[in-house]
């Protein structure tokens, strides 16, 4: 390889270029890992829930599992960043440092080789110059010898010319001998330097280049291994991340999610009751069974609350209230009590069948309870849009209102506990100051102690108020449940015996009839525009606070005023009430003290 210096120069340069090429590959891989980790983190940030501490959205197991998966994915992105950092420090950085050192070492070895080659070339030139000089002097000595021999053989030449030619011959011969000796010395020196160059200097330089190239190859091998180790080190943590995702997927519980939906949207409203069967043909059957319409017959009927409370009061008119003259007082001819299958006792009046039938046919109209419910729902919806949520959460359904009140009571209890702990700490500090005045002035703690006591009183009042609202809600839910159960029993017992305007039984002696309605309407055409009969009173209430009732559909009231309850609060915070003069409207449930009858149907 003594004559392959240039090829070795090219090979070592190729090795360094390959090293830098691999370093560039590692750099691009690092950029890919960094970008991948960044995109994963951005993806996690995009889909992570952005909730404030006040958020109360239901925590479904599917949502929790997805959030856990996002957390695991975020950890996975962190491991990709660890891979990139490890590759950058252990592989790319090491390659760049070694490449710089390799270039410096290669440059030094090549310079040494070039210097050795230049020194050998210089020795060769010196030897060649001495050789050429020796050759020239030999030719000059030969010419001087030929000139001397020609003069020596010439008889005409003088002795001085011969002697001069002889001296010139001796001079040239002496110079040729000197150049011969110098040429021999230079030749010997060149041969020695050439042997040293090709057997000692150049092999040593080539050996150094070989070692350098082998170290480069070893370094590449180490970097290849480090490249793989950087990935292998994070595999256990990545496996844990994947296991966490699998556990999150297994934690999804569809039954629990369904229960959360039920708890979240449970309103507490009772389902609507069954529509009663209104038998308009009973009067016809009863008239046929009487045999003659002129024969008076004693019949009894229960006093209908709609007659005693509603008929005597004002009715809802199409364009407002229509004043009606009250019916004449009832004058029963005979009074007795009759028992129904459910055990209730009712007063019975005697009336004429024909009068009752004609009055019943005249005034009987199909009732559509859904109109009233629709109106009530629209009014409640209207008030819900009037302003922010009420303090007692009366704008919410009963079940949601109960949850909100319970949460507020828990928060107030926690605040009260904090204030109590602070008061105890202040009292202890005050005692310490009183025992050791040098530590502080006890009177300086009195304002803070007073403020704490005031806060505790305020919190107790708030807790008491919210507990009262909670008891009210829980009592209404329980009463509504009991009343629905009682209503279902009564419906099963009395099914098929009630008519729209009264009650009757299969036995003629047990028939319950109501008094005839004395209609004093100035114009029968007006009846076509009247609303259905007013609702019966199911209890009474007393106004605790005054209410202005400026909004449409509300009823103004004064503090202490007594009103009839005709429709309970259905969970929206409003109760329908009626004054003694028949005026109806909605009042806030939290503004009144409600007293319901034990049996609202016969109230």
């Amino acid at each position: 390889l003594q004559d392959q210096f240039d090829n070795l120069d090219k090979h070592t340069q190729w090795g360094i270029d390959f090293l830098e090429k691999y370093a560039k590959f590692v750099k691009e891989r690092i950029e890919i890992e960094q970008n991948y980790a960044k995109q994963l983190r951005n993806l996690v940030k995009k889909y992570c829930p952005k909730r404030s501490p006040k958020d109360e959205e239901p925590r479904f197991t599917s949502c929790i599992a997805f959030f856990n998966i996002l957390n695991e994915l975020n950890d996975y992105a962190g491991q990709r960043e660890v891979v990139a950092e490890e590759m950058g420090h252990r592989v790319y950085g090491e390659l760049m440092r070694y490449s710089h050192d390799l270039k410096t070492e290669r440059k030094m070895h090549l310079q040494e080789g070039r210097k050795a080659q230049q020194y050998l070339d210089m020795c060769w030139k010196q030897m060649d110059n001495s050789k050429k000089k020796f050759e020239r002097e030999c030719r000059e000595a030969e010419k001087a010898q030929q000139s001397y021999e020609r003069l020596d053989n010439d008889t005409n030449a003088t002795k001085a010319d011969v002697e001069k030619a002889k001296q010139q011959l001796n001079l040239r011969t002496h110079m040729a001998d000197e150049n011969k000796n110098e040429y021999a010395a230079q030749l010997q020196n060149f041969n020695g330097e050439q042997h040293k160059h090709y057997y000692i200097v150049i092999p040593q330089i080539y050996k150094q280049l070989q070692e350098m190239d082998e170290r480069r190859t070893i370094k590449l091998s180490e970097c290849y291994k480090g490249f793989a180790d950087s990935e292998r080190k994070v595999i256990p943590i990545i496996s844990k991340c994947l296991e966490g995702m699998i556990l999150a997927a297994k934690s999804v519980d569809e039954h629990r999610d369904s229960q959360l939906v039920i708890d979240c949207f449970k309103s507490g409203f009772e389902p609507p009751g069954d529509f009663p069967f209104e038998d308009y043909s009973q009067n016809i059957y009863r008239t046929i069974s009487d045999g003659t319409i002129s024969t008076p017959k004693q019949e009894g009927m229960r006093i209908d609350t709609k007659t005693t409370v509603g008929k005597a009061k004002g009715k809802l008119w199409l364009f407002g209230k229509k004043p009606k003259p009250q019916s004449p007082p009832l004058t029963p001819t005979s009074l007795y009590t009759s028992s129904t299958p459910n055990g209730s006792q009712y007063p019975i009046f005697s009336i004429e069948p024909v009068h009752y039938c004609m009055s019943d046919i005249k005034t009987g109209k199909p009732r559509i309870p859904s109109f009233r419910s629709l109106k009530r729902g629209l009014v409640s919806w209207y008030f819900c849009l009037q302003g922010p949520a009420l303090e007692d959460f009366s704008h919410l359904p009963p079940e949601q209102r109960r949850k909100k009140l319970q949460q507020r009571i828990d928060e107030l209890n926690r605040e009260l506990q904090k204030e109590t702990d602070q008061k105890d700490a202040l009292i202890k500090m005050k005692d310490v100051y009183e025992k050791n005045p040098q530590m502080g002035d006890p009177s300086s703690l009195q304002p803070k102690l007073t403020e704490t006591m005031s806060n505790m009183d305020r919190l107790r009042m708030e807790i008491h108020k919210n507990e009262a609202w909670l008891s009210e809600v829980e009592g209404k839910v329980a009463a509504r449940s009991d009343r629905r159960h009682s209503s279902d029993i009564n419906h099963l017992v009395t099914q098929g015996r009630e008519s729209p305007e009264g009650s009757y039984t299969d036995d003629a002696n047990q028939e319950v009839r109501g008094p005839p309605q004395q209609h004093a309407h100035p114009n029968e055409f007006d009846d076509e525009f009247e609303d259905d009969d007013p609702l019966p009173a199911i209890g009474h209430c007393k106004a605790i606070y005054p209410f202005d009732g400026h909004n449409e559909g509300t009823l103004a009231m004064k503090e202490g005023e007594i009103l009839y309850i005709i429709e309970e609060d259905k969970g929206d915070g409003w109760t329908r009430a009626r004054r003694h003069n028949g005026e109806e409207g909605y009042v806030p449930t939290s503004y009144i003290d409600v007293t319901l009858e034990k049996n609202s149907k016969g109230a």
Side-chain angles (χ1 to χ4, degrees), residues 19-37:
L19 186 71
E20 292 179 345
K21 182 178 180 181
Y22 179 70
K24 185 179 179 181
F25 162 78
V26 175
K27 180 181 179 181
E28 292 182 0
R29 170 66 189 276
I30 292 172
E31 292 176 355
I32 291 174
E33 292 289 349
Q34 291 175 345
N35 292 333
Y36 180 48

Side-chain angles (χ1 to χ4, degrees), residues 441-534:
D441 184 9
S443 60
S444 62
L445 301 177
Q446 189 60 36
K448 185 64 177 178
L449 189 60
T450 303
E451 180 183 356
T452 303
M453 297 293 291
S454 176
N455 292 336
M456 292 175 61
D457 294 339
R458 177 181 57 81
L459 291 173
R460 289 193 184 99
M461 292 178 62
E462 289 289 332
I463 292 173
H464 179 71
K465 180 171 62 174
N466 284 273
E467 286 178 346
W469 289 333
L470 181 61
S471 301
E472 175 188 354
V473 173
E474 292 177 346
K476 286 184 178 181
V477 172
R480 185 179 294 113
S481 176
D482 296 341
R483 186 164 59 255
R484 181 169 63 249
H485 180 68
S486 176
S487 175
D488 293 341
I489 296 176
N490 292 336
H491 175 72
L492 293 174
V493 172
T494 62
Q495 187 173 9
R497 298 178 179 270
E498 292 189 1
S499 66
E501 297 294 328
S503 300
Y504 71 94
T505 62
D506 294 336
D507 187 2
N509 294 328
Q510 297 295 328
E511 286 181 0
V512 181
R513 302 299 299 258
Q517 302 296 326
Q518 301 294 333
H519 294 282
H521 298 171
N523 190 350
E524 293 184 1
F525 178 73
D526 295 341
D527 291 339
E528 301 298 329
F529 291 91
E530 289 182 352
D531 194 3
D532 51 355
D533 295 337

Side-chain angles (χ1 to χ4, degrees), residues 565-580:
I565 299 298
I566 60 176
E567 199 172 304
E568 279 189 89
D569 180 7
K570 299 299 183 181
D572 54 3
W574 296 92
T575 301
R576 191 173 181 182
R578 179 194 295 130
R579 279 203 179 92
H580 294 283

Side-chain angles (χ1 to χ4, degrees), residues 328-389:
L330 301 174
T331 56
T333 58
S334 63
L335 178 63
Y336 61 94
T337 59
S338 175
S339 299
T340 59
N342 60 3
S344 302
Q345 301 292 329
Y346 300 101
I348 306 300
F349 295 91
S350 174
I351 62 171
E352 291 188 8
V354 176
H355 192 182
Y356 171 75
C357 292
M358 296 301 294
S359 134
D360 190 53
I361 293 173
K362 180 178 178 182
T363 60
K365 299 187 295 294
R367 300 185 204 168
I368 306 178
S370 60
F371 289 167
R372 184 180 296 110
S373 301
L374 177 61
K375 177 181 177 181
R376 184 179 185 276
L378 291 175
V379 171
S380 302
W381 171 78
Y382 172 77
F383 288 122
C384 288
L385 296 180
Q386 294 302 310

